[in-house]
Amino acid sequence: MGRDIQAIKISGEDRRKYRDKVRRSLDAFARMLRERLFDENPNTVGQEIELNLTDERGMPSMRNADVLEAIASPAWATEVGQFNLEINVPPRMLDGDALDTLEAELRADLNAADTRARTVGGHLVMVGILPTLAEQDVHEESMSANERYKVLNEQIFAARGEDMRIEIDGPEQLLAFCESITPEAACTSVQLHTQVSPDAFANYWNAAQSIAGVQVALAANSPFLFGRKLWHETRITLFEQATDTRSDELKEQGVRPRVWFGERWITSVFDLFEENLRYFPALLPICEPEDPLATLDQGASPQLAEMSLHNGTIYRWNRPVYDNAGGTPHLRVENRVLPAGPTIADVVANAAFYYGLVRSLAEAQRPIWTQMSFTTAAENLHEAARNGLDAQLYWPGVGDSPVSELILRRLLPLAREGLGQWGVDARCADRLLGIIEQRCLTGQNGAAWQIATIDRLGSERGLDRREALRQMTLRYIEHMHSNAPVHTWSQT
C-alpha cells in the first residue's frame, strides 16, 4: 500500500481500466475466500511507528532524506512530510515474553536511529502532532521527495477542486486553508497489525471498531496544532480533514470521506473491499500486468495489486489488509487510531491493551457489537478525541461512563483475559497493563501532560505560547528517552 510509484499522467481510459481491474481482483478475492486459500495462523502481530524530526532546539527539521541516509536501514522509510519518518517492525508471534522482547528491540532500534540522525542534526520524536509545528511548515515544498506523495496530492486536489479547509474548534480555534495534503504529515501514529483468519476477520474488525474511542481517550497525545490548544487528540479531526476529497456540495450529497470510520458492522472482510470499489473513485489508477483470475487458475496466489493500492488510499481507522508474503496470502486488521509516543513503554502498553481487549471481545460468546449501535461507536471516537481521559463514553451494560472508570472496572480485566488467550506471560501482561491502570488512576496521558506543562510555563514563567511549546517539546524529548511511562512525568 505504501509502494513507490513513478510520475504519471492519468487519463479517463486509465481510470476505466483500473476500475475493471479492481473488479477482477475483487472476483479473485471472493474466489480465494470460498476456496479457503489463506494462511490462518492467528498469532502474528506487527507494528508501524511514525516519528517526527526536530533540530536541537526542538523545532521541525526538514531533513528526512539525510536522516534516512544516515540510518541506512530498510526498516525505515519516508512519510508525507520532510519532517517525518516511519519504522516498520517485523511481525512476530504474540505469546510468552514477545511484548517484552518487542519493547527492548524498539528501544534499541530507535536509540540507534536517533544516534545516527544526530550526525546530520536531526532528533527523532514520538508524538501525535509535533507541538512546535507551525502553519508555514506544511506546504507543498515540505513534502517528501517520493513521487507517490506528489501524485497523490495532485489527485486529491483535482478531485476536490479547491483549497483544503482545516477548521477545528476546541478551547482555542483554528481555521486554515491549505494548498497541499502536507498537513496530513502532522499526524504521526502507531499502527497495530493483527493477522486473522478469514472466518474470524469480521469479529476482530468489529471488536476493533467498538473500542476505538477507548483507545484514543487512553492514549491521546496531540493537543496542540499550529500553536493552538485544540482537541486532546487533534490528530483524528486533522487527518479526516487533510485528506478530504469532497467539496461542501459533495458532503451535502452524502459522499463518503476518504478518512472513514465506516457506517455498519460487517459480516465478512469482503464487505470492506466491496465498499471500497462501490463508494470511492480511484486516486492512483495504476494497473499491473498480472491477471488475478488467470493466476488463480494456474494454482498460484495473485498479488491483487490494484485492489490493495486502492485500499491504501482509503484511510479507514481500522483498515483491512490483504498481503501475499512468500506466496501465501493472509489477512490483517490494521488498527490506525493511536498517536505515536510518548515512550516505547507507553506504546507497547497501548499495544498490549489493544491486542488483549480485541481478542477477548472478538471471541466473546455475546459480541459487544450486537449490543451497541455503530453510530455510537463512531460518536465514542470523536468524544474521546475531543476530551481524552476526561471523556464520557457509552458502553453496553454501563451507559455513559467516565472512560477511566470504564477501563479500570470493565476493560482491563478483559484485556488481561485476552492476553492470556494469546499465551502472553502473566508477568509481562501485568507489567504492561499496570501502565494502563496507572495512567487511568493519575489521569495523565501525553495530552494531559502537554496541556498542564504549557499552562505552567505560561503562568509561572511568563513564556509566550511559541517559546512555551518549544521548551515543552525539549522536556518531552528528554522524558521520551528515559522510557519512564508518561503517567510518571513531572510537569515542572
Side-chain angles (χ1 to χ4, degrees), residues 271-282:
D271 296 349
L272 301 177
F273 285 105
E274 190 273 336
E275 282 181 348
N276 287 354
L277 176 60
R278 184 151 43 101
Y279 294 145
F280 299 99

Side-chain angles (χ1 to χ4, degrees), residues 8-313:
I8 55 172
K9 290 186 177 180
I10 296 170
S11 67
E13 184 180 6
D14 291 330
R15 294 188 180 280
R16 178 186 60 77
K17 288 181 177 178
Y18 186 80
R19 183 182 291 111
D20 290 344
K21 195 70 179 293
V22 174
R23 285 175 177 154
R24 197 164 176 82
S25 293
L26 201 60
D27 290 342
F29 184 60
R31 179 174 154 189
M32 294 171 72
L33 291 171
R34 288 194 305 270
E35 297 178 4
R36 308 187 73 84
L37 300 180
F38 288 87
D39 181 2
E40 299 198 357
N41 179 356
N43 283 359
T44 305
V45 299
Q47 300 80 30
E48 301 171 64
I49 302 176
E50 298 167 350
L51 301 100
N52 287 281
L53 283 174
T54 70
D55 59 22
E56 67 282 352
R57 300 182 62 254
M59 303 303 289
S61 173
M62 306 293 171
R63 301 192 62 184
N64 66 356
D66 295 333
V67 170
L68 270 181
E69 185 178 358
I71 293 173
S73 167
W76 290 82
T78 60
E79 266 295 323
V80 174
Q82 292 181 27
F83 52 92
N84 298 142
L85 289 175
E86 178 181 87
I87 181 171
N88 293 286
V89 183
R92 68 196 65 217
M93 301 290 285
L94 184 58
D95 57 12
D97 64 352
L99 291 170
D100 285 341
T101 303
L102 172 65
E103 182 177 350
E105 289 179 0
L106 281 174
R107 286 202 70 194
D109 288 347
L110 293 180
N111 286 341
D114 190 67
T115 298
R116 292 174 183 172
R118 290 176 186 233
T119 65
V120 293
H123 298 256
L124 301 181
V125 187
M126 285 193 306
V127 63
I129 294 175
L130 183 63
T132 53
L133 194 71
E135 194 171 340
Q136 60 265 27
D137 294 320
V138 289
H139 47 77
E140 192 166 354
E141 288 71 32
S142 58
M143 196 179 299
S144 290
N146 189 321
E147 198 66 37
R148 170 188 170 86
Y149 305 128
K150 179 180 178 182
V151 175
L152 191 62
N153 182 66
E154 291 171 351
Q155 293 303 305
I156 285 177
F157 275 87
R160 184 177 174 84
E162 60 189 61
D163 285 354
M164 200 74 69
R165 177 188 178 100
I166 306 294
E167 184 173 12
I168 305 173
D169 63 324
E172 298 169 6
Q173 309 290 315
L174 174 67
L175 176 62
F177 293 89
C178 308
E179 298 178 347
S180 77
I181 62 169
T182 317
E184 175 194 340
C187 307
T188 43
S189 65
V190 171
Q191 294 142 36
L192 303 177
H193 291 252
T194 310
Q195 183 180 334
V196 296
S197 69
D199 289 344
F201 187 96
N203 280 13
Y204 274 81
W205 188 85
N206 289 341
Q209 291 284 96
S210 72
I211 62 173
V214 174
Q215 287 181 273
V216 167
L218 181 64
N221 196 27
S222 313
F224 294 98
L225 173 65
F226 302 158
R228 275 86 157 187
K229 180 167 67 174
L230 301 168
W231 294 12
H232 281 233
E233 189 50 35
T234 305
R235 190 184 115 265
I236 296 293
T237 185
L238 175 61
F239 193 56
E240 288 173 342
Q241 296 182 54
T243 53
D244 202 339
T245 57
R246 304 170 302 162
S247 63
D248 289 344
E249 293 81 6
L250 291 178
K251 292 176 187 177
E252 291 294 327
Q253 293 172 35
V255 173
R256 277 79 172 175
R258 303 294 294 207
V259 178
W260 199 31
F261 188 77
E263 59 193 17
R264 63 186 175 112
W265 306 117
I266 65 169
T267 58
S268 167
V269 63
F270 186 83
D271 296 349
L272 301 177
F273 285 105
E274 190 273 336
E275 282 181 348
N276 287 354
L277 176 60
R278 184 151 43 101
Y279 294 145
F280 299 99
L283 288 180
L284 301 174
I286 303 165
C287 290
E288 300 295 337
E290 178 189 67
D291 181 334
L293 290 170
T295 300
L296 273 179
D297 289 338
Q298 295 163 9
S301 298
Q303 296 297 320
L304 304 184
E306 294 81 11
M307 186 184 83
S308 294
L309 179 60
H310 187 45
N311 184 54
T313 64

